């Protein structure tokens, strides 16, 4: 990955902190009427998202590696720390860790307004490309990938992340 790569979960977390945390910054500048009282110096929802992501990653790491060293102070280094502290785990636990990191990266992108990132993933059920994000779930566009009532199948970010990690691992095994 290049130094300017903003597609990793760590880079997205750093971007959230640097560009989206403060009001009026970032790509999605919010227009508002002049208030009689000053606004908060940060976007609380973005701050809460960052804190929740770091807390989840830390709790997951400590649950599977109780003797893990201290978490880095910089939030974006949490994922690197997670991988280092859990490198000794069995492959299943490492896949769970990788899926958590990937899912959080998807969440960071969606919080930044980049919901089209979901289109870059095939449907976990039928393999069709063309998922789209609707409120809280990814929806498959394939009309044959529907439930018994004809309703389009939906997928959580966790399911997409698990499918992505499994496909990545399968491709790596085929390449060797």
């Amino acid at each position: 990955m290049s130094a300017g790569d903003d597609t990793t979960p760590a880079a997205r977390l750093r971007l959230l902190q640097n560009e989206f945390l403060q009001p009026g910054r970032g790509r999605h500048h919010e227009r508002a009427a002049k208030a009689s009282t000053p606004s908060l110096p940060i976007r609380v929802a973005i701050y809460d998202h960052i804190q929740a992501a770091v807390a989840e990653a830390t709790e997951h790491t400590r649950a599977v590696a109780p003797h893990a060293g201290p978490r880095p102070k910089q939030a974006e280094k949490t994922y690197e720390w997670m991988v280092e502290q859990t490198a000794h785990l069995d492959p299943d636990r490492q896949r769970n860790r990788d899926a958590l990191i990937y899912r959080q990266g998807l969440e960071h992108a969606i919080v930044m307004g980049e919901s089209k990132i979901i289109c870059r993933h095939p449907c976990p059920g039928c393999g069709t490309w063309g998922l789209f994000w609707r409120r809280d779930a990814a929806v498959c566009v394939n009309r044959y990938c529907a439930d018994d009532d004809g309703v389009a199948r939906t997928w959580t970010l966790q399911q997409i992340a698990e499918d992505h990690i499994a496909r990545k691992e399968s491709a790596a095994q085929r390449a060797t």
Side-chain angles (χ1 to χ4, degrees):
M1 274 175 248
S2 66
D5 187 2
D6 66 350
T7 61
T8 66
R12 286 186 180 125
L13 190 57
R14 184 174 42 257
L15 190 60
L16 272 173
Q17 287 182 301
N18 295 340
E19 297 295 327
F20 288 82
L21 191 57
Q22 296 176 351
R25 296 188 63 190
R27 293 179 225 152
H28 303 286
H29 178 69
E30 299 160 355
R31 293 184 60 192
K34 298 262 184 198
S36 58
T37 58
S39 64
L40 292 173
I42 63 169
R43 293 181 184 158
V44 176
I46 300 287
Y47 177 81
D48 288 345
H49 171 80
I50 293 168
Q51 295 304 308
V54 170
E56 180 185 21
T58 303
E59 289 170 14
H60 176 84
T61 303
R62 298 232 182 266
V64 297
H67 302 296
R71 184 185 61 77
K73 294 199 184 306
Q74 301 94 341
E76 70 271 9
K77 296 197 183 254
T78 301
Y79 300 124
E80 184 179 323
W81 169 79
M82 233 181 131
V83 171
E84 289 170 0
Q85 299 299 317
T86 58
H88 66 284
L89 297 177
D90 62 86
D92 284 340
R93 288 185 172 189
Q94 288 186 20
R95 271 191 295 280
N96 290 341
R97 174 206 62 210
D98 293 345
L100 182 145
I101 292 171
Y102 194 79
R103 175 186 49 82
Q104 285 194 359
L106 294 173
E107 290 171 352
H108 301 334
I110 289 170
V111 165
M112 289 187 284
E114 298 175 7
S115 61
K116 290 191 186 279
I117 192 165
I118 300 303
C119 301
R120 299 181 197 153
H121 296 85
C123 173
C126 68
T128 300
W129 293 90
L131 291 176
F132 68 94
W133 186 249
R134 185 181 64 199
R135 283 175 275 178
D136 293 342
V139 180
C140 182
V141 297
N142 184 348
R143 67 182 178 153
Y144 298 108
C145 185
D147 65 14
D148 293 337
D149 296 326
V151 177
R153 291 178 70 183
T154 59
W155 305 96
T156 64
L157 292 178
Q158 182 66 33
Q159 291 169 314
I160 292 171
E162 289 169 359
D163 184 64
H164 175 81
I165 297 301
R167 286 175 185 269
K168 186 175 167 185
E169 187 175 277
S170 176
Q173 287 176 353
R174 283 193 310 265
T176 58

